[in-house]
Amino acid sequence: MNIFVLTGAGISAESGLGTFRDKQGTGLWAQFDPMKLATPQAFAANPDEVHAFYNARRHNLLDSEPNPAHSALARLENAFEGRGDRLELVTQNVDDLHERGGSSSVIHIHGELLKARCTFCQTVAEWRGELGRSDICTSCNRTGGMRPHIVWFGEFPMFMDEIETSLAASDLFVAIGTSGSVYPAAGFVSQARRLGIATCELNLEPSDNAGEFDEGHYGPASKVVDEWVGRVLSEP
Ligand code: OAD
């Protein structure tokens, strides 16, 4: 069995990290304008504002803990390893809660909040504190070029070749806690369908593209992911 799992902000919601969009209009992008905070143009025009936004999110992340949905996926990875099955875990999340929940192999398609990148030499460094214009790149020693290691709107998601290969090799595609509104990840379900791969959605409520999935299980991730992992592991 070869399972490809795509996670989104919903899996970290119960850990206290806000989602970007919800039907109540309280998501992060209803409170903040992504075009002013999450684009290369916004960073060039207003670096302090962009740094302040990501500094606050980094701070919030360091105060958060993984929840049972993260641990359930780690349990699945461990069990699969022991029996020769494969779990590919791709996340749109920039948090490190999958890793702290015990997953050892996680692909971050939209980058990582606890890393910074030098726009001069492209070196990526671990970064847990505040990030700002006065920070110096530890590799090229230049000041003023450090930015969050996050994929902004208008930039290319990371690891796409590896992801496409691994999606094509899977038997089941599972989307967890994602609204299915940001491409290319939102297109993985139709790609999987075209390839004849079974598809399943686990989300608080049916997502925008729920109709494309063969099956859906709805409720908080801590419950539905744990139950789904239990079912997968009980199958012969
Ligand atoms: P969204 O905020 O768009 O969607 C979150 C989804 O999680 C929604 O469908 C919710 O119904 C669901 N959800 C909320 N609470 C949940 C819970 N407790 N259990 C299960 N599901 C729950 O987040 P993403 O789809 O991840 O990009 O957003 C995709 C990208 O848009 C993000 O990676 C981010 C953003 O712009 C970047 O920052 C580059």
Side-chain angles (χ1 to χ4, degrees):
M1 180 79 155
N2 198 335
I3 302 183
F4 183 110
V5 168
L6 169 72
T7 64
I11 197 166
S12 297
E14 290 163 82
S15 295
L17 301 181
T19 61
F20 296 94
R21 305 164 190 83
D22 60 26
K23 298 209 164 118
Q24 297 71 41
T26 55
L28 211 54
W29 291 154
Q31 300 167 53
F32 300 98
D33 181 354
M35 293 304 121
K36 292 192 176 141
L37 293 167
T39 67
Q41 293 80 4
F43 186 59
N46 264 317
D48 291 340
E49 208 176 312
V50 173
H51 276 310
F53 175 72
Y54 285 100
N55 283 339
R57 296 193 59 209
R58 194 175 302 110
H59 190 77
N60 190 15
L61 171 58
L62 291 171
D63 272 350
S64 308
E65 297 294 336
N67 68 56
H70 298 104
S71 336
L73 291 179
R75 193 167 87 240
L76 183 61
E77 182 193 83
N78 278 335
F80 266 23
E81 250 172 43
R83 64 187 215 191
D85 291 322
R86 185 171 153 73
L87 173 70
E88 181 80 316
L89 177 54
V90 174
T91 187
Q92 295 165 92
N93 298 344
V94 297
D95 65 54
D96 66 339
L97 297 182
H98 281 306
E99 287 88 344
R100 280 197 268 149
S103 290
S104 61
S105 171
V106 186
I107 296 181
H108 287 270
I109 185 172
H110 287 162
E112 294 174 71
L113 194 53
L114 299 183
K115 290 184 178 168
R117 184 166 81 242
C118 174
T119 52
F120 300 125
C121 73
Q122 305 307 323
T123 297
V124 176
E126 302 286 328
W127 211 279
R128 301 179 75 81
E130 301 269 302
L131 182 63
R133 270 198 285 171
S134 58
D135 285 306
I136 303 169
C137 172
T138 50
S139 179
C140 70
N141 293 319
R142 292 174 74 178
T143 305
M146 299 304 287
R147 60 163 276 182
H149 186 49
I150 303 278
V151 175
W152 284 326
F153 289 100
E155 297 184 318
F156 287 108
M158 299 175 187
F159 310 111
M160 282 309 294
D161 287 349
E162 188 180 337
I163 288 169
E164 303 231 331
T165 306
S166 126
L167 178 60
S170 62
D171 307 301
L172 172 65
F173 168 74
V174 184
I176 303 176
T178 175
S179 61
S181 43
V182 175
Y183 284 81
F188 290 174
V189 60
S190 44
Q191 234 167 300
R193 286 181 75 87
R194 272 197 304 276
L195 295 165
I197 297 163
T199 57
C200 170
E201 167 170 87
L202 307 176
N203 209 49
L204 189 60
E205 56 205 349
S207 71
D208 292 348
N209 49 11
E212 293 201 60
F213 289 88
D214 298 323
E215 58 177 288
H217 302 276
Y218 300 105
S222 57
K223 181 168 182 284
V224 290
V225 177
D226 191 64
E227 288 170 355
W228 171 75
V229 167
R231 282 197 298 278
V232 171
L233 292 179
S234 67
E235 282 163 14

